[in-house]
Amino acid sequence: MTRLPSALRPLFPWIKTGVLRATQAVSPLTRRLPGSTPPRHAAPSAADYARAHPDGGVEVVEVVAALDLQRPLPAGLPADHPQFAAHRHEHIAPNVVATVRNGRVLAPYGAVMTEDDTLLFDLSPYYGAVTPAQHPVFLCCRPPQLVEVAGSVGVLTTRGSGNYYHFLLDVLPRLALLRQAGADPDAYVVDRTTRFQRDLLDHLGLTADRCLSDEHVRADTLVVPSLPDDQLRTPPFIVPWLRAQFLPTDVRPPHRRLYVSRGNVKHTRRVENEGELLALLEPLGFEAIDPGALAPVDQVRAFAEAEYIVGPHGAGLTNLAFAAPGAAVVELFARDYVNECFWALACTVEGLRYRYLVGDGSPIRSRRNRGVASDITVDPHQVVRVLDDLVRHKVDV
């Protein structure tokens, strides 16, 4: 969505649907094109491929067992919002690590392919694609030049890796799976374009000399973990691992009150009447921060030292992973777009109290993501009332 001009972002759901349908229609043709083309075949999963091709050079090891989650419904306004009820019970498939002999990866698409040119769909998920034929790699008829790499290469990159949420909850936990499996690849395919990516990777020991900048790589052996959070469910192992890697040992007890801003660009889920809201929050001790303007270490510290957090739905709230026990968050939504991902994240943070508030505007729409770019208008007094309720029901931890 962020690649679209601001004026076109409200059309994103329709554009995305059109691209998926077009891809499904033309992918049978693009697979047959001569020369350097997209993958010729597709398998639903690496495990399916390994069973069907026992000599195909793919081995799969389960690292984290399947899990059924049951979450308590959150309090908020309006009460009992159906988006949360729909995700109260979740099944998370096993997490695996696959080794792919002479495999290749097309990094911009997060696409992993076998020696015989088969896309391994479960290791290459893409937004909205529910079948392999919808994967946009099939539209890439002229991929970047293939670079041959000796040794083993770990694949961390995936779709959306330039987004802070997806980098922390999709990309980095793949490294946790590799380490749990005892894998130590010679190099990694991972995006290091932005400051936050470089800072986080350097902290984990994945410095530039260990990371490949090539977009299209074939290796003697690809080592590919599955995506732990491909459906925004936040499996419970992710947050403890992130906290162990990044949470400073010298954080002060929770004392800060944060308002997390998304700026002033239209159609980005910004709070349109942010000035009115801050006029009530600042006398209560709240400070406005823009996480995107801070280094990761400063984002982590701010959230770790916060007792109350208010902000619209957006990537900055990923730092809830580092919140202290007893802290509280109020997530703000547009009337036509409510997403459960930060509630799911909050449920895995010990002692974190979560509330939601759906703003004013058009009636709730029935189709998911139709309002993904909608800006938010809230009643500032209603936000304060929710905070007052959290203060009254504060529990010592």
Side-chain angles (χ1 to χ4, degrees), residues 34-46:
S36 182
T37 67
R40 300 288 185 181
H41 319 284
S45 72

Side-chain angles (χ1 to χ4, degrees), residues 223-246:
V223 189
V224 191
S226 55
L227 233 67
D229 195 32
D230 65 323
Q231 297 297 322
L232 311 182
R233 294 165 178 163
T234 314
F237 84 86
I238 291 180
V239 163
W241 184 80
L242 288 174
R243 293 172 74 91
Q245 306 306 313
F246 298 110

